[in-house]
Every structure is written in C-alpha cells, then in structure tokens.
Amino acid sequence: MAEIRLVERRKLLDADGVEAKVFELAEQIAAHASKNPVGLVGIQTGGVHLARRILERLEAMGLEKPHQGVLDITLYRDDIFLGLQQPLVRRTDIPFEVSGTDVILVDDVLYTGRTVRAALDALVDFGRPRAIKLAVLVDRGLREYPIQADWKGMTVDTIASETVQVELTEMDAATDRVVVYERDD
Amino acid sequence: MPPTTRHLLGLEGTSREQLITVLDLAREFRAVSQRRIKKVPTLRGITVVLFFVEPSTRTRLSFEVAAKRLSADTLSFTASHSSLKKGETLLDTAQNLMAMRPDIIVIRHSAPGAPHLLSRHVEAAIVNAGDGAHEHPTQGLLDMFTMREHKGELDGLVVAVVGDILHSRVARSNIHGLTTMGARVRVAGPRTMLPPMLERLGVTCHDRIEPAIEGADVVMMLRIQKERMGSELFPSEREYSRVFGLDARKLELAKPDAIVMHPGPMNRGVEITPDVADSGRSVILEQVENGVAVRMAVLYLTSAHLIEGNGMETTPGAGVGP
C-alpha cells in the first residue's frame, strides 16, 4: 500500500478544549450513572484513552468508579483483511458482568459508524446489556450506517478525503489536540 | 513487509518477526476461547479443508475447533475413507478437493514435503499439520507459546528436547523456531535416534539425558513410538525408560522452576513417569489448550494474506479511524 501523506488543515481543539469536552462528557455520563449501573468500555485504541480520561474526571467529581473495560473490534470488522496491512488484534478485556448493565461505549471519533456496528456485535457476545450508549469526542458526520452518539463533545463537518485525529499525550502526542488532516494526493 | 504468510509449511526460514506476530496474536485468540461465547465472526465464509492422510485425532480436532471459533466452515477428509486408498494420487485428490473451493487446506501426510508439493499446485493456502518426520509447525508454535507464557521471553531460554529426535517432526519445528527466537536448545536421545550433523541447526547434542536437562528452563519429552521398540534403534522399553525416561529424580537437575512439556500422546512409564506428568511442573494440558489459540492465529494470518492478495480495494481511512 502506498504511503499516504497527510497535511494539517485545521485545529479543532487545543489542550484546554479537549479538557473541557472531556469534562462535559463526564458530567453527562455522571448524570446517567446516578440512575443506572454503568460500565465504561473504550474502543481500541483512541477510545481507550478517552475512556480513561473520562474515568479520571468522574473520580475527581467524587463519584463511585464505574466498571470499565476495553474492546478491540478487529475480529468483528466488516472490512477485515481488505487492504489491511497489519491485521493486529489488540486486547479485549471486559472484566465486569455486562448483563443488566448500561454499557457506555467510548470512542474518539464517530465517522462511518462501522466501528460502532462491530463494537455492538462484539459486546453482545459478552452478555445482554440493559442498554448500550455511545459517547464520542468528535462526530465528523459522513455516516454509512444508521448509528448516532448519545453524547458527543463536538460535531464538525468534514469531507471524505479528510482525517480527524484526536491526539492525546498518552499516545505520544506533544500536547492534547484535535486536528483535521487532508490527504495530499 | 506484512507479517502475513500465504502458507505455513514449516518453521524453518520463518522469521523472528513472523513468529512473534503469531505468538502475540495467539494470546488474544486464547482469550476468545475463555469467553462465554467462544466464537468470533472473523472468518465467516472461509472454507477450511482438514485433509488428514495420516491418522491423527488431537491435531485434527484442534484445527477444527480453531476454525469453528473463527466462524470458518470445515470439511474433514481422512485417509481411511478416502480415494487415496483406491490408488488416486495426492495431487489428483487435491484437485478434486479444490472443486469444493476451499480457501485453506490443512494437511497431515506421512510423506515429508507433501504440503510443499500441494502449495505449488493448488490455489488454496496450505497449512502443514505434520509431514512425516519433517515438520509440525503449529506444534512448534504452541510449544513456544506455552514457554513464553511461563517464562516470558524465549531469548536465552535453555530448552532440553529428549527422545527420538531422528523421527520427530515436533523436535525439528521446535529447533527451527526456538533457535530463531534466541533460545538455547539441547537435544538428547540414544545415538541411533540423533540425526547426524544436527549441530548445524545450532543445537547441542547429548547421548545422555542428564547433561541436557541440567539447569534447563524447559524439559520437553518426546513420545517414543512403541512400534520402533525392539528394532535395532534401541533395545527395550525398560532400558529406554531407565536411561532416557524423565522421573522426579532426574528432573531435579533442571532449574527449580523448570516446566515439563510433552506433545502427546504420552507413554506413561516409558518416556515420562506418571508422577512427573501429573505434577505441578507439567504444562502438558496447557499445551493442548494453547494449540487451539495458536491454530486460530495461523488460520487468521493465512486468511489475511489470501484475501489481501485478491487486490480488493477499500477506502483508506474509512470505517476504522485514521
């Protein structure tokens, strides 16, 4: 596969912006958690970091720590192997009883909806959640499947040739930010 | 280079990078087997033919379970029912199998090189499930996986392989894989069962068990084929057991935390005493469980290559993140 060169087009959020959005998501999730038992499940890999940030926020609010897990959807993808360079399978670990819980899937960017579709399939193999909710930092539109987020940090209009990246320090970024890149063809 | 491989014919020539890819993947696949729903949809629509021209129960079952946990369809073709008994050649049989449009053929054959021959003549990906005394790559992989789970990295690990090295495809695959990963392999067996010039493969050879297992991290006992008893290769079961059999006393020579392995089926009281086979040091049943995980990883990787090679395109960046 040819190397794809990405050019930075615009910055959507800086470090303060990311923090504010994480705080908003945490508040909304906290409101939900006060009514039903919840489990936070980050989708590998961006969603895992975001879920951890949200958990830190919830703890800082003095809330009881909800269940947490990580989910890798590689084995459930519909485009598996198609042009995939490294069919890496990352860790899946759902160490709590899914049945009867409100599982909150967390991902960094919501785009076509295919990842979430795969995550829904993966999740129900672990049990029968009372409900599944979706929290994302950025909704970039261009959905291909009928999937919407229950809670989102922000919505942005994009075109298919663009890529939205949530760069966090735990992913070796110099500073937290959300950036739109475009393929330079 | 993608760490995928079209065929898995042997561990000879398989790179360190490829071995690590399989072993890392196997860990995630083992987790699938530990879930309540032990199945993922990954290989839906992939057909796997289990072409077993030499009798085998456990390897065939292991591949079958592995394929099913990945949602592949399996067809079993065993020699006892097959037309090979009626004189059809291997390639003719394989061409007929191809009419079923399998994506992967897992082959066990008594002739060394049979999987290689097949790989040159059929479209499907070929996985060697044991070819004569040549190789048994998935057994080598599951052994390495089991060692890694207990000992961490394979680099520098001292592994003793004891028994009929000459006729053992298990030994050969382990030697190739382990030396590539930087382990130090010692083999031991009666001189009649040590192939000449084995040192060329980077192992040390011993005609007594003691120096081989002294200070070892892993002691792997091989099955003695009873049909070879009484031949010129070695005198008697009792004699073999006394000199090369692993008992608790000999095991004391190995490291205190050494693990004991056996590819099965075991001859209790011949190459291994029951108290050792059933002790806390024995990881023999774990090997069986890990075999499924490793074979899932192998089927997954051969399929990946298979479909990738079709030249099918996808939108870069679509679906899954950047």
Side-chain angles (χ1 to χ4, degrees), chain B residues 1 59 65 80 111 123 160 174 179 192 219 232 236-237 247 277 305 316:
Chain B
M1 187 210 75
T59 304
V65 169
S80 53
E123 281 298 308
N174 266 292
T179 51
T192 47
V219 181
E232 65 281 8
S236 74
E237 220 171 279
D247 56 22
H305 193 278

Side-chain angles (χ1 to χ4, degrees), chain B residues 76-90:
Chain B
S76 235
F77 184 99
T78 49
S80 53
H81 314 290
S82 80
S83 45
L84 286 163
K85 283 260 159 80
K86 299 174 190 162
E88 192 177 44
T89 69
L90 176 66

Side-chain angles (χ1 to χ4, degrees), chain B residues 13 32 70 99 130 148 165 189 225 238 262 287 290 321:
Chain B
V32 171
L70 291 169
R148 222 171 165 228
I165 309 295
Q225 285 163 292
R238 259 185 72 189
H262 193 297
Q287 286 174 266
N290 293 340

Side-chain angles (χ1 to χ4, degrees), chain A residues 48-69:
Chain A
V48 173
H49 299 299
L50 187 63
R52 201 170 295 132
R53 293 273 181 112
I54 293 172
L55 274 165
E56 282 167 14
R57 271 272 143 232
L58 292 172
E59 273 186 286
M61 291 174 189
L63 257 82
E64 198 189 328
K65 213 173 179 182
H67 297 300
Q68 49 183 309

Side-chain angles (χ1 to χ4, degrees), chain A residues 7-173:
Chain A
V7 181
E8 186 172 330
R9 285 286 182 238
R10 56 209 151 105
K11 188 159 85 176
L12 299 178
L13 292 174
D14 59 9
D16 288 342
V18 171
E19 199 189 336
K21 296 301 181 191
V22 168
F23 185 74
E24 275 176 35
L25 287 173
E27 278 195 317
Q28 289 167 310
I29 290 168
H32 188 84
S34 67
K35 287 174 285 193
N36 297 302
V38 301
L40 226 56
V41 173
I43 300 175
Q44 292 274 20
T45 54
V48 173
H49 299 299
L50 187 63
R52 201 170 295 132
R53 293 273 181 112
I54 293 172
L55 274 165
E56 282 167 14
R57 271 272 143 232
L58 292 172
E59 273 186 286
M61 291 174 189
L63 257 82
E64 198 189 328
K65 213 173 179 182
H67 297 300
Q68 49 183 309
V70 297
L71 190 66
D72 180 78
I73 52 95
T74 310
L75 300 175
Y76 291 82
R77 282 167 64 146
D78 58 1
D79 61 345
I80 196 159
F81 305 144
L82 307 186
L84 202 63
Q85 282 282 4
Q86 284 186 309
L88 273 181
V89 181
R90 294 184 181 84
R91 183 154 301 275
T92 290
D93 186 23
I94 314 274
F96 61 91
E97 180 55 56
V98 164
S99 298
T101 308
D102 281 13
V103 174
I104 299 170
L105 282 173
V106 180
D107 205 357
D108 50 0
V109 179
L110 177 59
Y111 178 20
T112 60
R114 289 175 193 268
T115 299
V116 176
R117 195 283 309 161
L120 293 173
D121 277 357
L123 206 53
V124 296
D125 277 358
F126 285 87
R128 187 173 185 277
R130 203 194 72 96
I132 302 178
K133 302 282 181 190
L134 177 63
V136 300
L137 189 64
V138 184
D139 178 353
R140 62 165 289 189
L142 303 177
R143 212 80 75 241
E144 291 168 7
Y145 283 3
I147 280 166
Q148 304 304 333
D150 296 279
W151 303 295
K152 50 192 174 191
M154 67 185 300
T155 306
V156 58
D157 284 331
T158 59
I159 52 174
S161 61
E162 290 175 329
T163 297
V164 179
Q165 285 187 8
V166 174
E167 302 172 348
L168 300 177
T169 51
E170 50 268 55
M171 304 161 89
D172 294 329

Side-chain angles (χ1 to χ4, degrees), chain B residues 263-275:
Chain B
M266 276 187 284
N267 295 307
R268 285 170 177 268
V270 184
E271 67 264 5
I272 189 166
T273 57
D275 59 324

